[in-house]
C-alpha cells in the first residue's frame, strides 16, 4: 500500500483522474471499476474534460460499478446507474453496452449478484478499481463485518450509511435499506486499487483503515492485503496518519511519481 498526500481535495482529485487517464491511455481496453458518491463527482468531471479537451478515449473501455441500491430503477435519479450516466457516461464516448452495474431491479437479487461476478470474470477481471471510503470504513457497500473474502451480494446498510446518504433522497424513508455490492474479495482481486478520500470527516476512519489492524469491522483495512493499492488523500483526511513523513518522502522521490509532482 502507498499513501499520497496532496495539499487539498482539488489536487488529490486531479491526481486520481490523471492516474485513471494514464491507465486508459496505456490500455484502451481497460476494465475499470467505478465508485459513486460525492467524492467521485469531481473525478468524473475531470475525466469528461480530458475527453473533450485531450481526446481521452473511452471507446473500448469497459466499466463495472461497485454497487447499486436494491429496488431503484435506472431512471430513478438516486440510482447509481442514473448517477453514472449523468456524471460520466453521457459525457464521454463510452459504449453504454460496456458499462455494468449490479441489477438492483432483478427478481432474484442473489442470482443477479452471481451473474455480476461472472461478467467481471468474463471481462478478464478488473484492471483498475476506483474506491471511496464511507464513514464506517466501507468500500463499495461492504459494511462492518463484511467477510474479507466476500463476493458480490446483497448487504443491509448501516444506520451510519443511511444517515450519510439519506439526505440525498427526498425524505430519508425513501432510501433503500439494501444494496448489491461487490464483495471485499471481489475488490481485492482487482489488479490495482486507488482509493480517494478528502476532508476532516474521513480522517479518523482513514487512519484506522491504513495504519490500524486488518479487521472486518473496517472493510477498507483489507486493502492492506492488496499488492498494488494507492491511497490518495488531502491534508485534512491525512491528519491522523502517523507515517506522513515517510509517505511524503516516497511521493517526492520515487521515479513513478515524478510526472505527478
Ligand atoms: C459508492 C461507494 C461508497 C462511497 C463511500 C464514500 O459506490 O463505493 O463506498 O465511496 O460511501 O462516499 P462519499 O464520497 O459520498 O463520502
Amino acid at each position: 500500500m502507498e499513501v499520497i498526500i496532496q495539499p487539498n481535495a482539488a489536487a488529490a482529485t486531479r491526481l486520481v483522474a490523471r492516474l485513471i487517464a494514464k491507465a486508459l491511455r496505456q490500455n484502451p481496453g481497460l476494465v475499470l471499476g467505478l465508485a459513486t458518491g460525492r467524492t467521485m463527482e469531481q473525478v468524473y468531471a475531470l475525466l469528461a474534460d480530458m475527453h473533450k479537451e485531450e481526446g481521452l478515449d473511452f471507446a473500448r473501455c469497459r466499466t463495472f460499478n461497485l454497487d447499486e441500491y436494491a429496488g431503484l430503477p435506472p431512471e430513478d435519479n438516486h440510482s447509481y446507474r442514473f448517477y453514472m450516466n449523468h456524471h460520466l457516461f453521457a459525457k464521454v464516448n463510452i459504449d453504454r453496452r460496456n458499462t455494468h452495474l449490479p441489477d438492483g431491479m432483478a427478481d432474484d437479487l442473489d442470482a443477479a449478484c452471481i451473474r455480476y461476478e461472472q461478467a467481471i470474470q468474463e471481462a478478464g477481471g478488473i484492471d483498475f478499481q476506483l474506491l471511496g471510503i464511507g464513514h464506517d470504513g466501507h468500500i463499495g457497500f461492504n459494511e462492518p463485518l463484511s467477510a474479507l473474502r466476500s463476493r458480490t451480494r446483497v448487504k443491509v446498510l448501516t444506520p451510519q450509511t443511511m444517515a450519510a446518504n439519506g439526505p440525498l433522497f427526498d425524505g430519508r424513508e425513501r432510501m433503500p435499506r439494501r444494496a448489491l455490492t461487490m464483495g471485499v474479495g471481489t475488490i481485492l482481486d482487482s489488479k490495482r486499487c486507488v482509493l480517494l478520500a478528502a476532508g476532516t470527516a474521513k480522517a479518523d476512519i482513514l487512519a484506522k483503515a491504513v495504519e490500524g489492524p486488518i479487521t472486518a469491522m473496517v472493510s477498507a483495512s483489507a486493502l492492506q492485503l492488496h499488492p498494488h493499492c494507492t491511497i490518495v488523500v488531502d491534508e485534512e483526511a491525512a491528519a491522523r496518519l502517523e507515517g506522513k513523513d515517510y509517505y511524503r518522502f516516497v511521493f517526492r522521490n520515487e521515479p513513478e511519481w515524478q510526472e505527478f509532482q
Side-chain angles (χ1 to χ4, degrees), residues 81-242:
R81 165 56 80 177
F82 189 97
Y83 171 110
M84 288 311 308
N85 288 346
H86 175 73
H87 288 289
L88 185 66
F89 300 154
K91 297 180 178 164
V92 299
N93 65 330
I94 199 159
D95 182 341
R96 294 282 173 105
R97 287 169 302 184
N98 288 338
T99 67
H100 307 272
L101 286 92
D103 182 2
M105 293 300 288
D107 290 335
D108 183 340
L109 293 177
D110 294 336
C113 291
I114 291 170
R115 280 200 303 278
Y116 202 63
E117 287 280 334
Q118 285 167 347
I120 293 171
Q121 273 193 11
E122 280 159 22
I126 291 171
D127 294 313
F128 187 117
Q129 178 65 58
L130 179 61
L131 297 165
I133 183 169
H135 296 99
D136 60 4
H138 69 216
I139 44 176
F141 271 138
N142 289 288
E143 302 288 34
L145 288 186
S146 289
L148 299 183
R149 298 178 67 180
S150 51
R151 313 302 306 185
T152 304
R153 71 216 182 289
V154 178
K155 276 304 281 184
V156 176
L157 305 178
T158 58
Q160 218 175 351
T161 300
M162 296 293 293
N165 292 5
L168 302 174
F169 288 76
D170 339 306
R172 198 171 136 184
E173 64 292 344
R174 289 200 57 235
M175 181 177 167
R177 291 176 182 281
R178 298 189 308 155
L180 288 68
T181 179
M182 282 186 203
V184 180
T186 320
I187 293 167
L188 291 181
D189 281 350
S190 62
K191 294 173 193 97
R192 179 171 197 192
C193 283
V194 174
L195 185 148
L196 172 63
T200 311
K202 298 283 172 75
D204 280 337
I205 196 66
L206 191 94
K208 283 186 188 154
V210 172
E211 295 177 341
I214 297 173
T215 165
M217 282 302 288
V218 180
S219 296
S221 68
L223 295 172
Q224 295 175 32
L225 296 168
H226 195 284
H228 192 185
C229 177
T230 307
I231 309 284
V232 182
V233 288
D234 68 349
E235 287 286 354
E236 288 185 354
R240 306 294 295 271
L241 294 173
E242 285 180 14

Side-chain angles (χ1 to χ4, degrees), residues 35-40 66-67 80 132-134 138-141 202:
T36 59
R38 280 157 282 209
T39 312
M40 297 305 152
L66 285 163
D67 43 18
Y80 285 164
I133 183 169
H138 69 216
I139 44 176
F141 271 138
K202 298 283 172 75

